[in-house]
Amino acid sequence: MRDGSKTKELIARTALQLFVDKGVTATTIRDIAGVAGIAEGTLYRHYESKDQLAWELFSTNYLAFAEELDCLQEGYDNLKDKLTAMIRQFCTFFDRDPVLFSYLLLAQHGQLKKVTPEMETAVTVLQKVIAQGMARGEVPEMEVELAAAMVLGVVLEVAVFKAYSRITQDLAPLSEKLAAACWCVLAGNGTH
Amino acid sequence: MRDGSKTKELIARTALQLFVDKGVTATTIRDIAGVAGIAEGTLYRHYESKDQLAWELFSTNYLAFAEELDCLQEGYDNLKDKLTAMIRQFCTFFDRDPVLFSYLLLAQHGQLKKVTPEMETAVTVLQKVIAQGMARGEVPEMEVELAAAMVLGVVLEVAVFKAYSRITQDLAPLSEKLAAACWCVLAGNGTH
DNA sequence: TTAATAAATGAGTGAACACTCACATTAGGA
DNA sequence: TCCTAATGTGAGTGTTCACTCATTTATTAA
């Protein structure tokens, strides 16, 4: 009984890189096999199809990250601390694996239709946390979706800039600034 | 001499919608021709190739919008007003043609590599305006790229939420709130 | 009405694609 | 050492793709 788990991991990392570079549809099985240095048939020992590979890479990591954010968030008792911790976590993870997080950011459009509403994602966690904070009067009431979109935008667009090398420094050192900006967006013009 | 400009416009609108729905690579010439109710060959009377079609739709509108933003911006003499006007413009245009702006938002990743550095885009205009504002002391100094990313994020992510129907209302009525949030991000914790 | 010209057509073409399968190779337990 | 079962292989297969071109259709200027 041979161990193919190393090969599966190699395929995953190679595909991730190519998916980010060229997009999922434009990446061929030949591309992946060629770069990974394996035969085309080998890929099918580990993944049913290209779509299934793209979906597994997306869903596994997308949902796992949401889960981690949710656990982390529970360790704090107010919106400001929850938000700061979540942003720090995102930045740290992005720096640790930029290719993976670039994939999650950029492949979203193609894969997001397959995400069913009952799945807990980073977006739903963020909305929940913001809604709690509003209910507790920590920040002024406003449309939760709008608030979540603005906060998410501050963090994600900076990550997108980093993915495009428009920003060159690591994200983690920026996390305090990002958290401050997000807090400002939620708290309004200078109150709090 | 027949007039094919109507057909070209029909192809453009049909392709735009399909590109947003399925992505450029996953959209076939058959798809476009089928939905538009024309023959496959007809498309090639108006566009060299699928890539050229995708690029023309992207670059024309992407650069035209940047140009409009830049003209608009010149009509104001301080960062806050410039920013507010630009955001109002974006929201108005998005509401007027959501499919086009969704394409610009979501197709970015594929087309952005073809955008050469000397082209003036919405991002460069925004960076220029923010840099001016900092130089004039209207907002505290910080990394221009970071500031631009955060401001852009607030606006674009709200548009993305709208494109995904996570937000259902029009963007234009939100433009004052967005401008306030962006100003807050730039001006810092409650100062100004 | 007609001639001239551009637009529109859709079957056809070669290339590239995702995926298969009969076979070769390897690792590890007996 | 040898057997076994999983892993790895790559030429082969049917399909789908972007794109072409000889032909037809529609428009307009004369």
Side-chain angles (χ1 to χ4, degrees):
Chain A
M1 305 117 198
R2 296 158 72 182
D3 175 24
S5 62
K6 286 282 164 54
T7 305
K8 182 166 186 174
E9 190 56 27
L10 173 64
I11 292 169
R13 297 306 308 183
T14 307
L16 220 40
Q17 181 73 61
L18 286 167
F19 286 168
V20 169
D21 289 345
K22 312 175 54 171
V24 173
T25 320
T27 300
T28 67
I29 302 290
R30 262 187 162 74
D31 288 335
I32 301 170
V35 174
I38 58 162
E40 286 184 55
T42 304
L43 194 144
Y44 291 93
R45 292 251 172 238
H46 301 283
Y47 299 95
E48 282 174 25
S49 66
K50 195 177 75 165
D51 280 349
Q52 192 260 328
L53 166 59
W55 170 245
E56 183 169 321
L57 289 176
F58 183 79
S59 62
T60 305
N61 295 290
Y62 197 67
L63 299 177
F65 181 64
E67 174 72 19
E68 283 177 289
L69 275 192
D70 198 34
C71 287
L72 183 70
Q73 161 271 317
E74 284 171 358
Y76 299 86
D77 64 357
N78 65 83
L79 175 55
K80 193 171 191 174
D81 289 346
K82 284 172 192 269
L83 205 58
T84 305
M86 288 165 72
I87 291 170
R88 194 184 308 117
Q89 180 90 331
F90 173 80
C91 290
T92 305
F93 279 20
F94 189 98
D95 289 338
R96 184 140 53 215
D97 196 345
V99 175
L100 172 60
F101 275 77
S102 295
Y103 178 64
L104 296 183
L105 281 178
L106 305 170
Q108 268 190 85
H109 187 49
Q111 306 291 329
L112 225 47
K113 297 162 201 162
K114 300 181 190 163
V115 176
T116 59
E118 66 267 16
M119 292 182 185
E120 175 133 281
T121 70
V123 178
T124 60
V125 172
L126 180 61
Q127 284 185 344
K128 181 177 69 180
V129 168
I130 290 175
Q132 279 175 5
M134 287 180 185
R136 287 186 195 139
E138 296 174 43
V139 291
E141 295 272 356
M142 68 180 297
E143 301 92 319
V144 177
E145 294 79 14
L146 178 62
M150 293 192 297
V151 167
L152 205 63
V154 168
V155 180
L156 293 193
E157 193 67 26
V158 171
V160 168
F161 267 49
K162 171 75 176 169
Y164 287 151
S165 299
R166 289 207 260 243
I167 288 175
T168 50
Q169 61 191 303
D170 281 349
L171 294 192
L174 294 174
S175 56
E176 300 304 318
K177 280 184 190 174
L178 293 179
C182 289
W183 180 252
C184 207
V185 165
L186 292 176
N189 341 321
T191 51
H192 294 77
Chain B
M1 303 123 196
R2 296 161 71 182
D3 176 24
S5 63
K6 287 282 166 53
T7 306
K8 181 166 188 176
E9 191 55 28
L10 173 65
I11 292 170
R13 296 307 308 183
T14 307
L16 221 40
Q17 181 72 62
L18 285 167
F19 287 168
V20 169
D21 289 345
K22 311 174 55 172
V24 173
T25 320
T27 300
T28 68
I29 302 290
R30 260 187 165 74
D31 289 334
I32 301 170
V35 174
I38 57 162
E40 284 184 57
T42 304
L43 194 144
Y44 291 93
R45 292 234 164 250
H46 301 282
Y47 300 95
E48 282 174 26
S49 66
K50 194 176 76 165
D51 280 350
Q52 192 260 326
L53 166 59
W55 169 245
E56 184 170 320
L57 289 176
F58 183 79
S59 62
T60 304
N61 295 289
Y62 196 67
L63 299 178
F65 181 64
E67 174 72 19
E68 284 177 289
L69 274 191
D70 199 32
C71 288
L72 184 71
Q73 161 271 316
E74 284 171 0
Y76 300 86
D77 65 356
N78 66 83
L79 175 55
K80 194 171 192 173
D81 290 345
K82 284 171 193 270
L83 204 60
T84 305
M86 287 164 72
I87 290 171
R88 195 184 309 118
Q89 181 91 328
F90 174 80
C91 291
T92 305
F93 279 20
F94 189 98
D95 289 337
R96 185 140 53 214
D97 196 344
V99 175
L100 171 60
F101 275 77
S102 295
Y103 178 63
L104 296 184
L105 281 177
L106 305 170
Q108 269 191 84
H109 186 49
Q111 306 293 327
L112 225 47
K113 296 162 202 162
K114 300 180 189 165
V115 176
T116 60
E118 66 268 15
M119 292 184 186
E120 175 133 280
T121 69
V123 178
T124 60
V125 172
L126 180 62
Q127 284 184 343
K128 181 177 67 180
V129 168
I130 291 175
Q132 278 175 6
M134 287 180 185
R136 289 188 195 138
E138 297 174 44
V139 291
E141 295 273 355
M142 67 179 298
E143 301 93 321
V144 177
E145 295 79 14
L146 179 60
M150 292 193 296
V151 167
L152 206 63
V154 168
V155 180
L156 294 194
E157 193 68 27
V158 171
V160 169
F161 267 50
K162 170 74 177 169
Y164 288 151
S165 298
R166 290 208 260 243
I167 288 175
T168 50
Q169 62 191 303
D170 281 349
L171 294 191
L174 294 173
S175 56
E176 300 304 317
K177 279 185 189 171
L178 293 179
C182 289
W183 181 252
C184 206
V185 165
L186 291 176
N189 341 323
T191 50
H192 295 74

